[in-house]
Amino acid sequence: MNQYSSRFPRAILQGCVAHQPLSRTERLLAWVMSHTPSSLRLMPLRRKILAKLHHAAFESRPDVWEFYLDYTGQLPIRALGRHARLLHHVDLREQLPMITQPILLVRGEQDVVIRTRSTETLLHGLPNVGCVSMDEAGHIPSLSHPEELTTIIRRFLTPPKSECESQAGECTGEKYNLCESSSQAEQD
């Protein structure tokens, strides 16, 4: 983003990390998965694990929950393992201060995938950042809470005219408190 800042005048990041080292056990599991040729559908206990981690965010949308289970079941286990192994080696923390565009972090309050310290790293590393925490959402608010996420995105990308500099036509964007809840954002 810092290299092509004119192409990205502002950005919204959801489920994002700057640095996520894996534990020894996670690295071993990622290695095994990266060498497993089948899809996640065949993974033992997959449905139970996903239900424990993500089902609460989908309680009001059982049809979307079934879609999510079917869709994620198509993913090759090998791809997930390779992604995890790659994630272990990425460290973008030094580049964060160079990203000067307004950034909005969107996180689900029930997200068990992205660690709180990952969000805190982005909040402290990015110079022009705000954060909205969606109360009942998990890791995939685009599926579990699409209307609420759309409202948050629209408010950030198209701020009210009063927040725009009339002569330059440049908008500073909506101001968010650090990880305010989405219900607080809707009341503003």
Side-chain angles (χ1 to χ4, degrees):
M1 285 184 54
N2 65 328
Q3 189 175 7
Y4 299 104
S5 59
S6 63
R7 290 181 61 194
F8 301 100
R10 59 184 61 228
I12 298 169
L13 303 176
Q14 188 274 316
C16 194
V17 298
H19 181 60
Q20 180 111 8
L22 303 178
S23 69
R24 189 173 283 168
T25 304
E26 290 170 328
R27 288 193 314 264
L28 177 62
L29 181 60
W31 185 87
V32 169
M33 291 173 72
S34 69
H35 291 85
T36 304
S38 62
S39 69
L40 282 175
R41 183 180 325 285
L42 301 175
M43 192 170 152
L45 304 174
R46 177 184 79 89
R47 289 179 77 93
K48 285 186 179 186
I49 293 168
L50 288 177
K52 184 164 179 67
L53 295 176
H54 301 292
H55 188 263
F58 288 91
E59 282 182 326
S60 64
R61 301 179 91 118
D63 55 328
V64 178
W65 173 248
E66 288 303 319
F67 167 79
Y68 171 72
L69 289 175
D70 183 53
Y71 181 76
T72 58
Q74 297 173 25
L75 184 68
I77 295 174
R78 180 177 288 160
L80 185 60
R82 288 178 180 164
H83 179 80
R85 292 176 70 196
L86 176 65
L87 186 61
H88 176 70
H89 296 287
V90 172
D91 188 354
L92 303 173
R93 292 176 293 181
E94 288 183 15
Q95 295 177 6
L96 295 178
M98 295 180 269
I99 300 172
T100 58
Q101 301 95 315
I103 304 290
L104 178 64
L105 301 179
V106 178
R107 64 180 303 272
E109 194 64 37
Q110 298 179 27
D111 189 344
V112 295
V113 177
I114 302 300
R115 300 171 183 150
T116 303
R117 72 171 179 233
S118 296
T119 301
E120 290 170 357
T121 298
L122 292 169
L123 287 170
H124 295 295
L126 291 165
N128 194 6
V129 65
C131 182
V132 172
S133 183
M134 297 175 66
D135 295 332
E136 297 176 12
H139 184 61
I140 311 142
S142 57
L143 286 178
S144 64
H145 296 77
E147 296 87 4
E148 187 179 351
L149 181 61
T150 300
T151 300
I152 290 168
I153 291 170
R154 185 177 296 125
R155 286 179 66 197
F156 182 71
L157 294 179
T158 57
K161 297 251 185 237
S162 63
E163 295 183 21
C164 296
E165 298 172 1
S166 57
Q167 295 205 340
E170 198 173 302
C171 294
T172 58
E174 186 147 351
K175 300 298 181 197
Y176 288 95
N177 295 327
L178 295 183
C179 278
E180 70 180 19
S181 71
S182 56
S183 58
Q184 289 172 325
E186 289 172 10
Q187 293 171 1
D188 292 344

